């Protein structure tokens, strides 16, 4: 164990080099091939969630918490669809960018707000709590507490995405670690689906919808838990 914990490293990363990298990936400007592949994969994750929520037909007025909202890739279209959204992120730079994008994209911004906050200290009550591509920053032993907290904020539903722990990905990761690039400054944690499901079930949720999204460099498992 190093002196600096994962969360401090993640916060610093997303306020510096990580901010620059992910703002570009989650944008529409020129990026390299790998980043473009990740952008497409991530967009599929966002689109899948939007499809699920739109299919339910009650998006207008629905209260949603987008925990670890990044630059607002999900918060903004949700607000566009009429949901009441709180997007929060531990990185103030990501939050500032999300706010800027919301102002530039949305006709009205009164149903979306953004806050710089660690999701583990979020309070309040939301119909739906969504947390996309954040668990990759959480080691397994920290995941239960984090997910349980998100569940405590959710009246009806939690939607989570994570990088699935599979043999293939574990190997890929090992190979990747042999060639660390300049931006790979955070550790990436994969999770076993069975572990995540067990945590959700322990909080009174059962799995309602699920999806797998994968491109060449982006791997994601998406679960919807409902009470
Ligand atoms: N959910 C967004 C962003 C994913 S990138 C999307 O899918 O587009 C991961 C984000 O999680 C980063 O913006 C990072 O700052 C944030 N994050 C990591 N740990 C966090 C924590 N404990 N609380 C809140 N945000 C966190």
């Amino acid at each position: 164990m190093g002196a600096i914990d994962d969360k401090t490293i993640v916060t610093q990363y997303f306020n510096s080099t990580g901010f620059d990298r992910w703002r570009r990936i989650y944008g529409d400007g020129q990026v390299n091939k790998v980043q473009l592949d990740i952008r497409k994969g991530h967009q599929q994750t966002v689109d899948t969630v939007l499809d699920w929520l739109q299919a339910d037909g009650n998006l207008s007025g629905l209260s949603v918490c987008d925990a670890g909202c990044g630059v607002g890739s999900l918060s903004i279209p949700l607000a566009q669809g009429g949901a009441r959204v709180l997007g929060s992120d531990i990185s103030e730079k990501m939050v500032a960018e999300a706010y800027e994008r919301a102002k530039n994209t949305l006709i009205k911004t009164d149903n979306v707000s953004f806050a710089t906050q660690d999701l583990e200290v979020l309070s309040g009550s939301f119909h739906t709590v969504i947390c996309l591509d954040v668990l990759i920053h959480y080691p397994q032993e920290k995941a239960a507490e984090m997910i349980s907290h998100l569940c405590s904020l959710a009246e009806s539903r939690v939607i989570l995405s994570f990088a699935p722990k599979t043999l293939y990905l574990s190997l890929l990761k090992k190979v990747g670690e042999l060639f660390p690039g300049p931006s790979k400054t955070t550790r990436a944690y994969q999770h076993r689906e069975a572990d995540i499901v067990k945590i959700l079930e322990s909080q009174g949720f059962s799995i309602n919808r699920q999806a797998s999204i994968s491109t060449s460099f982006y791997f994601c498992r998406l679960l919807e838990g409902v009470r």
Side-chain angles (χ1 to χ4, degrees), residues 87-124:
S88 78
D89 199 284
I90 204 165
S91 155
E92 59 185 71
K93 287 257 219 168
M94 295 297 258
V95 169
E97 175 76 11
Y99 181 64
E100 233 7 74
R101 289 188 186 193
K103 267 198 319 194
N104 295 335
T105 319
L106 298 170
I107 297 165
K108 58 180 190 72
T109 53
D110 52 348
N111 57 331
V112 59
S113 53
F114 293 103
T116 305
Q117 211 167 17
D118 178 354
L119 62 85
E120 288 176 82
V121 299
L122 280 175
S123 60

Side-chain angles (χ1 to χ4, degrees), residues 151-167:
C151 287
S152 76
L153 308 170
E155 287 154 16
S156 302
R157 169 167 61 185
V158 170
I159 297 175
L160 298 173
S161 77
F162 58 95
K165 193 169 183 119
T166 59
L167 184 60

Side-chain angles (χ1 to χ4, degrees), residues 133-155:
D133 294 7
V134 179
L135 273 165
I136 191 142
H137 305 295
Y138 275 79
Q140 182 56 40
E141 68 273 15
K142 298 256 170 75
E145 204 181 325
M146 182 266 218
I147 295 172
S148 302
H149 184 66
L150 293 178
C151 287
S152 76
L153 308 170
E155 287 154 16

